[in-house]
Amino acid sequence: MTDGPQVGRLRAPARRKTFSVGLAIASTVILVDQLTKNWAINTLGSGRRIHVVWLLQFNLTHNSGMAFSTGSRLGPFIGVLAAMVVVGMVISLRRVRSVVSLVATGLIIGGALGNIIDRLLRGDGWFRGSVIDFIDFQRWPIFNVADMCVMIGAAMLLFGASRTQRRVRASS
């Protein structure tokens, strides 16, 4: 006998829709990311900075590398690696069993694709473009909406995995 469905778990009929929902989340992230990057280019392109509050400011930078602006010559490699991660995440959408994992996977796919779009379209060659970053806390590397979504999605997956691990330990 079961105690009914667990909170946060997807029932079988709902799992059939996870692929579409995950892609909808990813598409929304891509749209918001690209709109905010275009805003940053148009508004901050002339070296202008906008102070928002406390340490937060908007400050346009172009990152041809990876996190913290390291590996600037590795842009094509980073782009191909990110594309492979996206393919794996899209495939995993069909096996997602919780709402947390569904949202997290959609955020990661959308964020990764948002930055891949920059690498493809904002440069002088295949995967030679720079990622547009503009959210600046001054004591932390500058980032964008796609970066935030990847990090939030990864944190959600870790949180979901730790919850599952605790449930497994408690039941054994």
Side-chain angles (χ1 to χ4, degrees):
M1 184 187 314
T2 63
D3 296 331
Q6 294 179 356
V7 175
R9 303 288 286 177
L10 296 172
R11 295 184 193 137
R15 274 190 256 150
R16 289 185 208 120
K17 295 180 184 177
T18 58
F19 190 77
S20 298
V21 171
L23 291 183
I25 292 168
S27 297
T28 302
V29 168
I30 293 166
L31 177 65
V32 171
D33 176 62
Q34 291 300 308
L35 287 173
T36 57
K37 287 174 178 173
N38 285 330
W39 170 85
I41 290 167
N42 293 329
T43 305
L44 308 170
S46 60
R48 178 178 174 213
R49 291 179 185 210
I50 297 175
H51 176 76
V52 180
V53 64
W54 193 45
L55 294 175
L56 175 60
Q57 67 181 3
F58 296 137
N59 174 24
L60 181 66
T61 63
H62 297 78
N63 181 357
S64 62
M66 55 187 166
F68 310 117
S69 296
T70 59
S72 61
R73 297 179 193 255
L74 298 174
F77 173 74
I78 295 164
V80 170
L81 184 63
M84 290 171 31
V85 168
V86 167
V87 169
M89 297 296 285
V90 168
I91 291 169
S92 76
L93 269 177
R94 296 205 186 271
R95 295 186 306 262
V96 167
R97 297 192 180 269
S98 74
V99 174
V100 170
S101 295
L102 173 63
V103 172
T105 303
L107 288 172
I108 293 169
I109 291 168
L113 285 173
N115 285 338
I116 288 171
I117 289 168
D118 286 0
R119 290 187 188 284
L120 285 172
L121 303 180
R122 298 185 195 274
D124 296 330
W126 190 252
F127 279 122
R128 298 210 182 279
S130 295
V131 174
I132 304 300
D133 290 329
F134 64 95
I135 302 169
D136 185 0
F137 280 101
Q138 301 177 51
R139 291 183 170 87
W140 187 258
I142 302 174
F143 56 97
N144 58 47
V145 171
D147 297 335
M148 283 191 309
C149 290
V150 168
M151 295 306 295
I152 291 168
M156 289 174 71
L157 283 178
L158 288 172
F159 172 74
S162 70
R163 276 186 30 192
T164 300
Q165 192 174 30
R166 276 184 270 161
R167 266 192 246 128
V168 168
R169 277 192 225 140
S171 67
S172 51

